Amino acid sequence: MISALENIYISPLELCNLNCRYCYTKKTKNILSNSQILSFVRRYNQQLATRNCQLKSIIFCGGEVFTLKNFPSLINKLNSMGIFTSIITNGTIDRLKNIKDPRNCQLIVSFDGPQNIHDANRGPGNFTRSKKFVKHALKLNFPVEIFYLITKDSYPYKDSFQVYNLPKTYLTDRLGSLTSKQIIDIRQNYPCYPPKNFGCSMLSLQSDGKFYGCCESVKPIASISDPIKKVVKRFLDLTSKNLLCSDPDYFCGLKNL
Ligand code: SF4
């Protein structure tokens, strides 16, 4: 339970520079500012200190966080506070030179398979753009991982697809192009997101300023304006009841496969 408090998830926005065929975000216009996020992190860390633990890592997702010009300065501030950051990105906007401590900032770059499949989903030129981003990130010593979206088109390439031989985490299409057998194959035999034993119990702050018990949940448990003690208590109450994967409101649809 401590690790579920020490490693959290923040989605500052749902807006994106792309409009992928398989995107399932609603692309609302909500944006959490850097100061809102930093204020929350400071208050949250004070609360964790009362439990003899501290915030160790934040996974950022969107939307596309690099559409926000000042996003690197948020990362720099968090890294300087000793917090490791992971950024899920489509890799088409390169603001990497503005991040001061690459070794404490993991990049998880989305690919949808070979170039023709990727560009059919994400728009012409985006495969080359994202690959160039990965090359630049490696040159700057960022830890990089590939986020491999498995759809009916990319499934045949699940073993052979590579980008600079980097490790891959698999994400199965939520819009229904895969068969149940294909989803089970991926969930049982490949490293997946959310991770099988971790991602479904993660405090998630979303761009609407609300907290959820899981990055896939649709039912808020608290708001950013609530006292942090209450936020933590609600999250712990929820996870201690082990509701996250059995209650339809908190169920990501994948964990029990
Ligand atoms: S890059 Fe991600 S958030 Fe942006 S449109 Fe594509 S799937 Fe959606």
Side-chain angles (χ1 to χ4, degrees):
M1 196 46 58
I2 290 287
S3 79
L5 289 173
E6 290 181 330
N7 306 285
I8 65 169
Y9 178 99
I10 298 179
S11 176
L13 81 173
E14 290 191 331
L15 293 170
C16 186
N17 59 320
L18 302 186
N19 191 17
C20 304
R21 189 192 290 178
Y22 286 96
C23 185
Y24 64 94
T25 63
K26 293 198 183 98
K27 296 194 172 60
T28 59
K29 292 189 176 160
N30 301 324
I31 297 179
L32 289 176
S33 68
N34 286 2
S35 58
Q36 278 177 300
I37 292 171
L38 288 169
S39 160
F40 154 67
V41 166
R42 287 192 189 101
R43 289 187 296 131
Y44 184 70
N45 245 340
Q46 283 165 6
Q47 178 56 217
L48 291 202
T50 67
R51 296 171 180 272
N52 295 320
C53 57
Q54 61 177 2
L55 183 55
K56 289 183 179 156
S57 78
I58 301 176
I59 298 179
F60 283 98
C61 187
E64 174 52 51
V65 289
F66 283 117
T67 58
L68 302 169
K69 278 189 185 156
N70 61 356
F71 186 70
S73 67
L74 174 67
I75 294 298
N76 291 337
K77 185 69 194 165
L78 293 169
N79 289 158
S80 74
M81 294 163 71
I83 298 167
F84 184 83
T85 49
S86 295
I87 302 171
I88 299 174
T89 173
N90 61 35
T92 59
I93 301 173
D94 188 342
R95 302 191 193 279
L96 296 177
K97 67 176 177 18
N98 298 328
I99 296 176
K100 292 179 184 160
D101 187 6
R103 288 164 308 167
N104 279 312
C105 179
Q106 180 193 31
L107 299 167
I108 306 171
V109 187
S110 314
F111 280 87
D112 295 359
Q115 183 162 6
N116 58 328
I117 295 172
H118 184 96
D119 283 357
N121 290 346
R122 294 182 178 243
N126 283 315
F127 182 88
T128 304
R129 217 165 273 135
S130 297
K131 208 167 166 190
K132 196 172 157 199
F133 176 94
V134 170
K135 190 174 179 185
H136 189 207
L138 291 171
K139 195 174 167 200
L140 295 175
N141 291 321
F142 285 87
V144 185
E145 206 174 275
I146 301 307
F147 209 25
Y148 187 25
L149 177 69
I150 299 289
T151 62
K152 65 176 177 29
D153 301 314
S154 61
Y155 182 82
Y157 303 91
K158 63 192 163 83
D159 296 309
S160 59
F161 180 69
Q162 292 291 343
V163 178
Y164 300 119
N165 260 337
L166 290 165
K168 292 180 291 219
T169 296
Y170 291 68
L171 179 74
T172 47
D173 156 38
R174 307 293 162 82
L175 300 186
S177 74
L178 294 167
T179 64
S180 307
K181 202 172 158 194
Q182 287 171 326
I183 295 172
I184 289 169
D185 171 34
I186 297 297
R187 290 296 297 173
Q188 289 185 341
N189 300 313
Y190 296 84
C192 288
Y193 188 88
K196 292 178 183 69
N197 300 316
F198 179 64
C200 288
S201 307
M202 210 166 166
L203 184 64
S204 297
L205 173 60
Q206 300 284 342
S207 57
D208 60 2
K210 295 190 175 139
F211 293 95
Y212 297 79
C214 154
C215 62
E216 299 288 336
S217 169
V218 293
K219 187 169 180 178
I221 57 170
S223 159
I224 198 167
S225 56
D226 288 332
I228 291 295
K229 194 173 176 181
K230 178 174 155 188
V231 176
V232 171
K233 184 173 180 316
R234 289 227 171 135
F235 177 67
L236 292 178
D237 284 349
L238 189 69
T239 49
S240 66
K241 285 182 198 149
N242 205 21
L243 277 175
L244 290 175
C245 297
S246 54
D247 184 319
D249 287 329
Y250 299 102
F251 183 40
C252 73
L254 294 171
K255 181 81 184 283
N256 289 347
L257 286 172

